[in-house]
């Protein structure tokens, strides 16, 4: 593990993945403490509960982004058609309207993909993540065995996000994206055989969120599962999930790390995912 940072809901940017105790439960300040403890095979060790108020709010904002994007695409298409038919305006004007429409399409695609990521943790039940002696199970995923994991990586993007909030245009857009579930604590689980994991999903949309990479000599393709923890979990529970996953990984010799820099994070995980990954 690299780094030791804390997310405590008090404006602190840091994520402490070395704490000896995990907090389980709902909104910050209400969850009982729990320590990873030995048990029988398959015994429950930890459960992280969804922050339902935060999740429902994120879904509403995300749906609003999709509706808004759809309206903007419609307006852009109508505007382009009107400009072409009427002959009013130059090709430069048409190009500007086209760029506006493409940006709106990007908003829709990003929102749909974000919704799929959030569904990995936020299912119909209360439990977002369950950790047992045999593996990890997400709200909408099959169990991922410890022996399937290649690494557990965390990107703490909160410091960068807080800096960008001070940029006038990004500040407004960034805050809106955060409200729509664009979390700042990304936890990624890498598995040895991503295709096999995809096949075990009952939620096909969730299966598509398992990214696949180039094949290794044994024919398997690594898979990567992105989890936006703080988008659906309270601050305490986000802290607890990282603490427990890292403790379990350390006990089993599974590589694990937390980074605050996206480039450093990519440099660390890339060679573990793709045999053709270039040296950076």
């Amino acid at each position: 593990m690299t780094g030791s940072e804390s997310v405590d809901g008090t404006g602190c940017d840091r994520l402490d993945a070395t704490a000896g105790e995990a907090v389980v439960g709902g909104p910050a300040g209400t969850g009982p403490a729990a320590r990873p403890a030995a048990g029988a095979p398959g015994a429950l060790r930890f459960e992280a509960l969804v922050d339902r108020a935060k999740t429902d709010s994120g879904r509403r904002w995300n749906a609003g982004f999709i509706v808004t994007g759809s309206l903007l695409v419609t307006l852009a298409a109508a505007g382009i058609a009107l400009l072409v038919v009427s002959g009013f305006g130059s090709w430069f004007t048409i190009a500007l309207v086209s760029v506006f429409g493409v940006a709106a399409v990007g908003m829709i695609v990003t929102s749909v993909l974000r919704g799929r990521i959030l569904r990995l943790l936020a299912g119909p039940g209360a439990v977002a993540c369950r950790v047992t002696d045999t593996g990890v199970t997400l709200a909408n995923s099959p169990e991922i065995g410890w022996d399937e994991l290649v690494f557990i990586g965390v990107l703490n993007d909160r410091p960068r996000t807080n800096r960008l909030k001070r940029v006038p245009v990004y500040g407004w857009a960034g805050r809106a994206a955060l409200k729509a579930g664009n979390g700042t604590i990304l936890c990624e689980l890498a598995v040895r055989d991503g295709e096999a994991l995809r096949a075990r999903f009952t939620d096909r949309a969730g299966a598509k969120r398992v990214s696949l990479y180039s094949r290794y000599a044994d024919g398997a393709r690594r898979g990567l599962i992105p989890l936006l923890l703080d988008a659906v979990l309270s601050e305490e529970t986000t802290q607890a999930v990282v603490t427990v996953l890292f403790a379990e990984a350390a006990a089993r010799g599974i590589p694990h790390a937390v980074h605050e820099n996206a480039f450093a994070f990519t440099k660390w995980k890339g060679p573990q995912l793709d045999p053709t990954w270039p040296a950076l």
Side-chain angles (χ1 to χ4, degrees):
M1 179 176 63
T2 61
S4 174
E5 294 142 34
S6 160
V7 178
D8 57 12
T10 60
C12 181
D13 295 334
R14 306 187 69 74
L15 178 65
D16 183 3
T18 61
E21 177 172 281
V23 179
V24 186
T30 63
R35 294 177 183 274
L44 178 66
R45 300 169 72 90
F46 173 86
E47 280 187 339
L49 305 185
V50 173
D51 185 327
R52 190 55 62 185
K54 178 186 287 188
T55 302
D56 291 345
S57 176
R59 282 174 172 163
R60 288 193 296 270
W61 274 85
N62 205 47
F65 270 37
I66 294 174
V67 171
T68 301
S70 300
L71 291 175
L72 293 177
V73 168
T74 301
L75 288 174
I80 292 172
L82 181 61
L83 289 172
V84 172
V85 171
S86 66
F88 178 78
S90 64
W91 285 107
F92 179 74
T93 304
I94 295 175
L96 284 179
V97 177
S98 299
V99 169
F100 180 78
V102 170
V105 171
M107 178 189 296
I108 296 171
V109 172
T110 300
S111 299
V112 170
L113 294 178
R114 180 167 52 228
R116 289 179 179 176
I117 293 175
L118 295 181
R119 281 202 299 274
L120 289 172
L121 288 173
V127 178
C129 174
R130 178 178 290 109
V131 176
T132 69
D133 284 349
T134 55
V136 183
T137 304
L138 309 175
N140 281 312
S141 85
E143 183 180 63
I144 303 167
W146 295 118
D147 59 348
E148 297 180 59
L149 286 172
V150 175
F151 67 76
I152 300 174
V154 173
L155 174 63
N156 177 15
D157 200 40
R158 190 161 293 180
R160 185 189 70 89
T161 300
N162 286 339
R163 289 194 300 270
L164 290 176
K165 281 181 181 179
R166 294 191 287 269
V167 179
V169 175
Y170 182 88
W172 177 85
R175 284 190 291 271
L178 290 174
K179 290 180 179 179
N182 203 41
T184 57
I185 307 298
L186 171 67
C187 177
E188 293 185 326
L189 309 179
V191 297
R192 301 185 191 285
D193 192 339
E195 291 175 315
L197 178 59
R198 274 189 171 190
R200 302 206 316 264
F201 269 80
T202 56
D203 178 6
R204 304 323 302 167
K208 292 179 181 179
R209 296 313 307 147
V210 180
S211 301
L212 300 176
Y213 293 80
S214 299
R215 293 192 185 280
Y216 276 74
D218 61 1
R221 300 175 68 184
R222 299 290 186 261
L224 193 66
I225 308 159
L227 306 174
L228 294 172
L229 298 181
D230 59 330
V232 297
L233 305 177
S234 71
E235 294 293 336
E236 279 186 346
T237 309
T238 296
Q239 174 74 46
V241 169
V242 176
T243 300
V244 171
L245 288 178
F246 275 29
E248 297 292 336
R252 293 169 172 80
I254 301 171
H256 54 291
V258 57
H259 292 270
E260 288 188 355
N261 180 278
F263 178 79
F265 187 46
T266 301
K267 184 177 180 181
W268 174 78
K269 69 180 181 179
Q272 301 181 72
L273 292 169
D274 192 334
T276 64
W277 195 272
L280 300 177

